[in-house]
Structure formats: structure tokens, C-alpha cells
Amino acid sequence: MAGPANKRQKRADYKSAQREDTGPVELPKKKFYRQRAHANPFSDHQLTYPSSPAEMDWSIYYPAFAIAAPVANEIGSTAASEEAATVVKGISKDVDVADIGCGFGGLLVALAPKLPDSLLLGMEIRTQVTEYVQERIKALRSQNMDTGLYQNAACLRANTMKFLPNFFKKYQLSKIFLCFPDPHFKARKHKARIVSTTLNSEYAYVMRPGGIVYTITDVEDLHNWMVQHFDLHPSFERVGEAEQEADECVKVMKFETEEGKKVERNKGQKFVALYRRLEDPPWPQKSELDQ
């Protein structure tokens, strides 16, 4: 006699039932998408990523913002009739908010209605967690068809420590969120932390001047590490306490993310630091170089 179904079988049965269900789209159940809390960013995860930002097709993630163009016919000319076949070429605006290591998407779904003029992207390395966030956003879009809410939020699987500039061009982002990242306590693991001299330069590359990097953690040692590395980077300056506390995104980061809620339940501390992207210094004139 067969025993009870194991977790993997239950997960497969649940997802199969979700695909076959033609009724109202319900929010996914987190218990069927759980995965190890952390993944090794240096492993080969067989990820799909564009060779450059220009090659990225964002229309599949933000269909409400998709734009189309006429398809060229076989001899290279463009079909002129309104009935001509069209092909999606991209979206009408750029993604400008990135939640790196978005987890189960709490920040994304909380910020999407508060930032209606921005396109928000969650980037998560874990397969099951990414799938959960995608299904969560799909359900929220379906449940809010009349208002159009959550069309500006999406999630994809990515390793930002390796491929961030493959997705975003220079000066594209206005906000980057680093919420409760893996602390990597052991000294030999510090190279895997999401904040470092090298990674901060990549953040500076994709962020527009005036943009903000938001960091939060419940580990004081990691907070001090992030502050130290951002303080030393010439492209960033720390945002003052008054401005930080007045920022609505900080409140969401503290109380709407899954980790933030857990820390609150456990009466733990949350350490926050915001950094503003500075203007790049002007290039020296040729006459100055000749001196």
C-alpha cells in the first residue's frame, strides 16, 4: 500500500491543479514554494540572461506596457496596413526600481501601488521563490483588473552579483533595495556579501545621479559592513536621518517585507542606511591633461 505523498509530490500536485483551474486566480500558497534560505551566488545556476540591456525583452514581464511594431515582410519592406502582423518590441518605459534578493515579494507588492509611475522588478536567485512571486503578481493583477494595480511589478530569476549590467543600462535605476541580505557571518564568506567595493561600483553604474540605495538588516555587523563600504565609495553619500525617516519606502521596507515582519514579531532591531548616488565628476579637459 502506497504511503502518504512526499513534499515534492504534493508540490507537483498543487501546481498541476493550479494550472488546470479555470476559476478565479487565487494567491499562491507559500508552503508549496519553500526553498533553502540562501543560494551560493558563485555556483553555476544555469541562468538565462541577456547579452546586453538592449537585448532584454521586458514585454513578457510588463504586458500592460508592451509596445509593438509592424513586421517587415520577406523582402525587407514594412507592412503598411493596420491589419499587418505585429511583433512586440519592448515596453513604453524603463524599469527604474530594483529589489535585489526580493524573497517572497513583500516589498514589491507593497510598493507597487505606492509607486504607480515606476516599473518595479524583483530579482531572486532561488527558483521556487521566483516562481512564487511571479504567481503572486499574476494573481494580484487578475484580482485588480478594474484598477490596473500591480501591472508595474514583476519578478525574474537572476544572479545580480554576476549579471546586473546585463539587465540595466547606465543611469537607468532610481532606487535599489537591499533588504535583509544574507549576512555570511564567516570571514571566508564575506566575499559573497551583496555589498562590496566591486558591487557598489556596479550599483553606481546602473543608478542615475540622485537615485537612492536602500539597505536594511537585523544584523548589526552586516549593517556596519554595508555602511563602511558605501561610505568609502566616491559615488555615494549617506542620506541624513531626518530625510531617511520621512521616506515612505523606508516604512514599507521596515514593516511590509516578510523578514521585517518576522523581526518585528521577535522584537529584534532593524538597522537602516540610505545612500544617494552622486553626480559623476567632470572629465578633465585636454589642456589639463597636457599640463
Side-chain angles (χ1 to χ4, degrees), residues 50-58 89-91 94 165-170 172:
S51 58
S52 71
E55 299 298 318
M56 181 64 189
D57 181 6
W58 292 109
K89 301 292 287 182
I91 51 178
D94 287 336
N166 292 72
F167 291 96
F168 304 120
K169 60 191 178 186
K170 188 175 183 180
Q172 180 171 336

Side-chain angles (χ1 to χ4, degrees), residues 48-94:
T48 300
Y49 57 91
S51 58
S52 71
E55 299 298 318
M56 181 64 189
D57 181 6
W58 292 109
S59 63
I60 59 176
Y61 297 98
Y62 304 95
F65 297 89
I67 55 176
V71 178
N73 64 21
E74 293 182 359
I75 60 173
S77 62
T78 300
S81 68
E82 294 182 359
E83 295 79 20
T86 58
V87 61
V88 171
K89 301 292 287 182
I91 51 178
S92 58
K93 59 169 71 175
D94 287 336

Side-chain angles (χ1 to χ4, degrees), residues 83 224 286:
E83 295 79 20
N224 293 335
K286 185 177 186 300

Side-chain angles (χ1 to χ4, degrees), residues 130-181:
T130 301
E131 186 179 352
Y132 171 84
V133 181
Q134 291 173 340
E135 292 299 318
R136 184 178 185 181
I137 292 172
K138 177 182 176 182
L140 288 170
R141 287 176 177 176
S142 178
Q143 294 171 5
N144 292 273
M145 292 289 287
D146 54 335
T147 62
L149 287 175
Y150 304 103
Q151 296 291 340
N152 63 328
C155 177
L156 57 76
R157 184 169 181 246
N159 184 348
T160 58
M161 290 183 70
K162 289 184 177 181
F163 305 118
L164 188 68
N166 292 72
F167 291 96
F168 304 120
K169 60 191 178 186
K170 188 175 183 180
Y171 297 160
Q172 180 171 336
L173 300 180
S174 64
K175 300 180 190 295
I176 291 178
F177 289 89
L178 306 173
C179 298
F180 300 98

Side-chain angles (χ1 to χ4, degrees), residues 24-39:
V25 180
E26 297 181 353
L27 290 169
K29 296 180 179 179
K30 191 183 296 184
K31 68 179 181 179
F32 293 110
Y33 297 87
R34 293 201 178 277
Q35 196 170 342
R36 288 182 59 187
H38 307 292

